[in-house]
Structures are given as C-alpha cells and as structure tokens.
Amino acid sequence: MTSKNNGLLECPKKDGTKVQGNAINALLVNETVRDLIKLFDHPESAAVQCHRCATNEADYWCDGDCRHCFCSDCWNTIHEVGQYRTHTRRSVGDRPREVPQCQGHGDHSIQFWCEQCAREICGECRQTQHRDHSPVEITAYVKTIEEQCEGSLEGIHASLNYRSDRADKMIIEVEKEREFNETQVRETMQNLRELIDRREETLLGEIHQVETIDKRRIEEHKRSLQDEQQNLIEQVFNFAAVSKDKRPQRLLDARRPFEDFIRRTDARLLELKPLSRIKNYIAGLEDLATVQTKIENVKFEPRKHTNPDVEKIFNNNPNSTALNLSSSRLKDLDMELVANRLAFHRTLTTLKLYSSEVSEMGAQYLADALRTNQ
C-alpha cells in the first residue's frame, strides 16, 4: 500500500491526513474498535460521553459523516481539517434516538414487547416465535409504564401529603381538647375546691400526660411521613431524569426499581395509616355538682368508638359479595371500622355507602383498605 504512494498512508476519506508507513503509532485512535470494547466492558451511563476522548461529557452531535457525539475540545480538533469542516454541529440533545437491535435478529430493530416472554422483539420475531402471543408496540408499552409509574408516584405523593396535613391538624385538635378539658375541670371544681384539690391535680396530670403521649406519637408518625416524602422526592428526580432520556431501554431498565419502590412504599403506607385518635373526656364530671361522693370516680379515659349496626351487618354476612351500609349514615370513625373489616372480608365486591357523612379522612380509610383488598 505504501509502496504505491511514496511510503505514505493516506486517509481513505480523503480529508488530507497522511502518515509515514513506518510511523503507524502516529495514527489517530481506532474509534470503532474502541467503542466495541467499551460496549462489552462498560455499561452505558446516563450522561453522553465524548466519542473521541471517552472522558469528557459530550456537548455536540455531528450531523455529518461522523454521526457521533463530541466534547468541545474534540469537536474543534477533529473538525478543523479537510471535509470535516463542512459537518453540521448540533446539540447533543438533538441527536437521533438510538434504536436497540433484536437479540434474535441482529439486523432488525426492536418494535414490540412480548408480555408473555417479558422481552423486546422485532417484527420478524412477532411473525415466528411469538406468533401465538399478543405483543404490543414497544413505544406504546413504554408509554404505559411511564403513565403507571407517574400515576403511582402521584398517588403516593397525595397520600403522604394527606397524612402530613392530618397530623398537623391532630396536634391542634389535641391542644384544643386539652384546653377544653382543663377549663371544664376548673369550672366544675371551683365550688368544691377543698374536697377536690387532690383529684383535680390528678386529673390535670392525666390530661397533660395524655397530651404528651399523643403529641409524641403524632410527631413520630410525622417524622416517618417526612422520611417517605424524602424518598419520594428522590424517586421523582430519578423518574424525571429517566423520562428525559430518549431511549426506551432506559425506562425499561428503570421499570423494576420504580415498581420495587412503589411496592415498598405502598407496604410502608399500609403501616403508616392516617392517624386516628380516640378523644378523651372527663367521665362523671357533670355529676359533681350534686353528688360529691362521686368525685373519686371521676376519670380521664379514652372514648372508644363503636357502631353496632356496622358490626351486625358484617357479622351476619361473612361471605357476601355485596353489602349495603346506606342506612347506617356512616361518619369518619365508622369508616375506620369498615376499613378494618374489609381487611378480612375477601369475598365482597360491592359496598353501598349512600347517605354516608364522611370527609376526606373517611375516604382515606377506605382507600387504604382497598390497597390490600382489591
């Protein structure tokens, strides 16, 4: 080759580059061979690296014969000579989407997703090995995954926000309840001070103790919610980064981590149910005005909520597929009872709740129950 060209090796692309035949080491890096080695030895990273130096992050994509991404330095080095000067420089984000090739037919592009086999296939695969399956277009499948992940993340975000807001409201509720009970105790005990001083001190102590315990429990619950919110933010950022990537493979690879996160968080949310608390009251306080002997019976205790109608309906229909609770006029705490029963009532498919008087809290109880009993 060199003997016919005065001992010189000339670039086949005729860009003017010439190298002495005895100075092979002066040739530029064989980028094709290098990229093949890199393909097998190193997984593709999220950032696009420069095709030439493989060190810097790429800034430009060559819309010419190169069809590669380059950093600023390598672009200037390569495109200052010969016909490379005429190549069109574009932003790396404007490069065409890379279409992966079929594993079974290397010369065919991926076009479909086979759910039965859980793999990407080409049109040839669809007509042969997978002809009895029901593959869908890969773009539609990726879009479905994206929508599912986005919907699940939004659902978790809304659920966490509700729980956090509810915790804030409950702290205020606990404080107001404490203020009300203190006032009620002091006003009732005013005319019986000598007799009830000891009991009043005990009651006030119990009230403050319950407030402290309730607040501590709610704050611990809120800290757990904040941890999950932080995890959600990280997943949202990860999801945003994956969504901006133009390669379907990126979202397919990220699918399982997103699904794992969603499953873990759903399980965690089942543990972090919206807080409910049983209000406390001063039992027997109203009797102190006329019956002084009952002072010692005054107690500060929780008020447990029950609904005999709801319990009766569930107990009398253990294997029913439909239940009608419309006549019960359910309220928020009733919905908590219903949600607890739904965790074990697996045959039910229809639940009628007409005329119920529930707020978003009652709806949240029901939504949490449906996470496990669908």
Side-chain angles (χ1 to χ4, degrees):
M1 183 183 295
T2 58
S3 60
K4 296 180 180 180
N5 199 27
N6 298 322
L8 294 177
L9 289 173
E10 186 173 359
C11 175
K13 291 188 176 182
K14 306 299 182 182
D15 66 354
T17 301
K18 296 180 180 181
V19 178
Q20 289 292 335
N22 58 357
I24 299 299
N25 291 336
L27 289 172
L28 298 175
V29 175
N30 188 323
E31 297 172 348
T32 301
V33 174
R34 183 203 65 194
D35 287 347
L36 287 174
I37 295 174
K38 178 183 176 183
L39 178 64
F40 287 100
D41 289 346
H42 304 285
E44 186 176 6
S45 59
V48 180
Q49 289 186 327
C50 174
H51 177 76
R52 182 172 181 271
C53 68
T55 301
N56 298 328
E57 185 174 342
D59 300 303
Y60 307 111
W61 177 71
C62 179
D63 191 7
D65 294 336
C66 300
R67 310 292 291 181
H68 291 306
C69 297
F70 302 96
C71 64
S72 298
D73 293 339
C74 291
W75 176 276
N76 295 333
T77 301
I78 293 174
H79 294 83
E80 284 182 351
V81 297
Q83 66 181 21
Y84 289 100
R85 294 181 178 179
T86 63
H87 290 185
T88 301
R89 185 178 73 181
R90 301 190 185 282
S91 170
V92 69
D94 295 333
R95 72 190 189 284
R97 176 177 296 179
E98 298 178 6
V99 180
Q101 301 300 304
C102 176
Q103 296 179 1
H105 304 88
D107 56 342
H108 289 64
S109 299
I110 295 298
Q111 293 178 287
F112 302 95
W113 170 264
C114 179
E115 185 65 32
Q116 289 91 329
C117 302
R119 59 174 294 182
E120 310 97 324
I121 62 174
C122 65
E124 183 70 18
C125 290
R126 183 187 185 189
Q127 300 299 324
T128 55
Q129 301 100 311
H130 302 264
R131 63 179 178 274
D132 296 328
H133 298 172
S134 302
V136 296
E137 290 189 359
I138 192 71
T139 53
Y141 183 71
V142 169
K143 182 64 176 178
T144 300
I145 294 175
E146 181 180 359
E147 292 174 351
Q148 290 174 347
C149 292
E150 183 177 1
S152 298
L153 291 172
E154 289 177 354
I156 292 172
H157 179 262
S159 188
L160 286 170
N161 281 347
Y162 170 78
R163 286 161 167 75
S164 180
D165 292 342
R166 177 61 184 160
D168 290 336
K169 292 177 181 178
M170 289 184 70
I171 290 176
I172 297 175
E173 182 180 325
V174 170
E175 293 174 346
K176 288 183 176 180
E177 183 184 276
R178 185 261 304 168
E179 293 174 358
F180 173 80
N181 286 330
E182 282 187 344
T183 301
Q184 193 178 26
V185 168
R186 289 193 175 102
E187 289 178 353
T188 304
M189 297 294 184
Q190 183 174 2
N191 297 327
L192 303 170
R193 184 60 56 196
E194 292 182 2
L195 180 62
I196 66 174
D197 277 349
R198 178 176 56 83
R199 193 59 184 161
E200 179 185 15
E201 182 178 357
T202 301
L203 287 171
L204 293 177
E206 290 178 354
I207 291 172
H208 283 284
Q209 182 181 14
V210 169
E211 179 193 19
T212 300
I213 293 173
D214 281 352
K215 279 189 174 181
R216 184 185 302 117
R217 180 172 65 93
I218 296 169
E219 290 292 351
E220 289 175 354
H221 179 78
K222 187 174 181 181
R223 282 194 293 271
S224 297
L225 294 177
Q226 289 171 342
D227 291 340
E228 294 301 321
Q229 286 175 323
Q230 183 61 38
N231 292 336
L232 174 63
I233 291 173
E234 294 175 3
Q235 290 299 323
V236 170
F237 284 150
N238 292 338
F239 180 73
V242 171
S243 297
K244 290 182 180 178
D245 197 301
K246 297 183 177 181
R247 292 164 297 183
Q249 189 63 39
R250 286 285 295 155
L251 188 54
L252 289 173
D253 292 342
R255 174 192 177 187
R256 185 168 295 280
F258 276 126
E259 290 178 341
D260 290 343
F261 166 75
I262 291 166
R263 283 194 295 270
R264 289 195 306 271
T265 307
D266 279 341
R268 180 60 175 152
L269 288 178
L270 290 178
E271 299 174 4
L272 297 175
K273 294 182 179 179
L275 281 181
S276 64
R277 58 180 303 273
I278 300 174
K279 294 184 178 181
N280 303 284
Y281 73 108
I282 312 302
L285 186 62
E286 64 279 3
D287 297 330
L288 292 182
T290 56
V291 185
Q292 296 183 4
T293 56
K294 292 186 177 182
I295 291 178
E296 294 298 328
N297 294 327
V298 177
K299 299 178 181 179
F300 189 73
E301 59 185 27
R303 187 193 302 272
K304 185 177 181 180
H305 179 76
T306 60
N307 189 318
D309 290 339
V310 172
E311 297 294 334
K312 182 178 179 181
I313 291 174
F314 274 97
N315 291 335
N316 291 342
N317 301 276
N319 300 314
S320 298
T321 59
L323 289 180
N324 189 350
L325 299 178
S326 301
S327 61
S328 301
R329 303 187 68 85
L330 303 180
K331 296 181 172 54
D332 287 333
L333 292 180
D334 296 321
M335 288 304 295
E336 184 176 15
L337 299 177
V338 172
N340 290 336
R341 296 302 296 261
L342 286 178
F344 305 99
H345 202 300
R346 296 289 177 170
T347 61
L348 191 66
T349 59
T350 303
L351 181 64
K352 297 182 180 181
L353 300 171
Y354 302 114
S355 302
S356 297
E357 301 174 0
V358 298
S359 68
E360 59 181 13
M361 183 174 71
Q364 189 66 52
Y365 286 134
L366 183 60
D368 284 341
L370 294 178
R371 286 181 181 274
T372 55
N373 186 353
Q374 299 179 356

